[in-house]
Amino acid sequence: MRVLFDQNPLQNITNIDSDERAIPLTYPGFVPYVRGPYPLMYATQPWTIRQYAGFSTAKESNEFYKQNLAKGQKGLSVAFDLPTHRGYDSDHDRVVGDVGKAGVAIDTVEDMKVLFDEIPLEKISVSMTMNGAVIPILAFFIVAAEEQGVSQNTLTGTIQNDILKEYMVRNTYIYKPEMSMRIIGDIFAYCAENLPKFNPISISGYHMQEAGASPELELAYTILNGIEYVKTGINAGLKVDHFAPRLSFFWGIGMDLVIEAAKLRAGRLLWAQMMKQFEPTNKKSLMLRAHCQTSGWSLTKQDPMNNVARTTIEALAAVLGQTQSLHTNALDEAIALPTPETAAVARNTQLILQHECGLTNVVDPLGGSYLLEEKTNELVQKALEYIDEIEQLGGMLKAIEKGIPKMRIEESAIAKQAKIDSGEDVIVGVNKFQIVEEEMDNLLSIDANEVREEQVNQLIQIKQNRDDSIVAGKLEEITFSAQTGKGNLLELAIEAARARATLGEITSAIEKVAPRHSAQVNTVSGVYSTVHNNENEINRIQQLVTDFSNQEGRRPRIYIAKIGQDGHDRGAKVVASAYADFGFDVDVSPLFQTPAEVARAAVQFDVHCVAMSSLAGGHKELLPILREELKKLDREDMVIIIGGVVPERDYEFLLSNGASAIFGPGTILTEAAEEIITILSNQNESNE
């Protein structure tokens, strides 16, 4: 392995300026910024309190934003719905059940104007989690600010724009990597020239952690993605110091307080060291500035009040790791979007940390901790092993093409689930110290059909009132630029937005010459059964599968299907791997399927059972459609089970509309497999 550091890397990084003596690492604000990017840190400027939010329509989200700003929130973090992420307008036939569900629906610049109505964009920093449809969304934001009277050069905030991690974990991509990287280069160039205070990318480890990556995997792959983006900016004709100081990072924060605090420090160390290859002259080009979000995956449906403690611990870890901004998840987010009441508890958690705990009175409260420095060192060394593996493959782009990062993260996720299911890793209230569950009251519910109808009506009005010939001309210019490489796609999209082109139209203008990316479906086998420490339990489930096979004449066959535009596939991949280890025949659908596509595939594969998942919460809308599609194919007998984020209040509806079982968050996979075999066996007996 190529070694960047000696045994203790914290003692071997010196200041970038050769004419200055090495700065001892006991001080924040000096390269490599291990103890924080700024000399006085929170003593003069506490971290920015953000809350990631967006749901239903722009109007509803706007009201929620204004309430939070009035109660102490300092910046906005916008969550967009899945159709928006995937570049579809709300009237597209592939997005039924998804509109407004997991975020706010944005179809045109008019939606964006409503979203920020009465919010002074020259004063409020706005972070937008957007990667696939980043061109139209950023264009809409710029035009909305412009029509609010706000100049581009005063806008502050961040657009995530981190497409590489989408190919690894979150999957809300649109185009293939080549076009996606072209888009990033154009955004870097435009923002460097016109939005000097705006961060053109947020390089995200958060979604890797949520997908199951260990801290060292999250570190290695996030830093390597950042290096690829720096190369993209340089290839776009920019000098490294022209854009690198505006790069930002986004970490997920889990429950191991010391490891998570050390992870931020290790990330700053690795970034400062690896950026030196580009020979920057501005120290800020070596500075890793971070936003953090507490883990969504660590939240439990069982005994949900425990989630307040989990979020507090994770928030503290981020603060001790010296984050620049922070989002804290709400206690009900394991099962639904947060209500105003639970969001307020999450926000106040940060206010308490800022104002009641003394954390802002000291520049670095854990500075000098032997344990923290040791864990920082360990994480750096472990991350370097993965960095070396990727570099030997020719860099992150080539590694992504080979599927290596995705495979490593899935292996980590499967191993974690096996440890939880076997009780090796304790989750309080889930696999130890359980209590009788009570359904939470007052969960937020979004009627996707109602939101979709409202959005469609708005689209009709906007198209009736615009000049279609101007729109067509602007879209043709985008297509020409995408085809030839001439011009800047963001600049052209801004012009199209001013003419009231829709998000779907701008996306399609590029798609004419850059077709949508379709990921290859691969699964990992052998990890779950190897890591699970209860061999007898695994053997018992395998014997049940064998007994079924002997009676049925073939093994139980299950089709694990993601329906809708949700790309989070951690759960589906973990279940697929575990069930394969149990002895099931497992087929896994491509992402982004319609109910009709799933029904046809299930019949073609002649499966016993369809396991459908839609983490956007679209089960109530999608299940009846799937059942109807199976009926059209004369397979009403096929068993349907549902997995994912499903509130218990929806169980009765789902069970009476064709679902045979529902497996929510925290389900032990061996128990679920046993229940499925029982359902299939009972059905066989009833059919005889």
Side-chain angles (χ1 to χ4, degrees), residues 188 228-240 243 278:
F188 280 5
E228 288 291 343
Y229 295 135
V230 172
K231 293 176 182 177
T232 297
I234 292 171
N235 291 337
L238 300 172
K239 292 183 179 180
V240 65
F243 68 93
F278 302 109

Side-chain angles (χ1 to χ4, degrees), residues 4-14 25 30-36 219 223 251 262-276 286-288 373 375-381 384 387:
L4 293 182
F5 309 106
D6 294 332
Q7 283 297 312
N8 186 356
L10 302 184
Q11 303 303 318
N12 290 287
I13 309 301
T14 59
L25 293 178
F30 294 94
V31 177
Y33 307 109
V34 175
R35 292 183 57 195
L219 262 177
I223 295 296
W251 301 111
K263 182 176 71 181
L264 271 67
R265 295 168 184 247
R268 290 192 288 268
L269 178 61
L270 284 165
W271 183 249
Q273 179 69 14
M274 296 192 71
M275 278 296 290
K276 287 185 179 182
L286 303 179
M287 182 187 291
L288 187 156
E373 292 181 2
K375 292 302 180 183
T376 300
N377 186 13
E378 287 180 13
L379 282 174
V380 167
Q381 297 298 339
L384 283 172
I387 289 172

Side-chain angles (χ1 to χ4, degrees), residues 78 151 158 189 191 205 209 219 343 366 409 565 607 609 653-654 659 669:
V78 182
S151 173
T158 305
C191 289
Q209 187 197 72
L219 262 177
L366 290 189
I409 292 171
Q565 296 303 307
V607 301
C609 174
F653 172 87
L654 296 170
L669 296 186

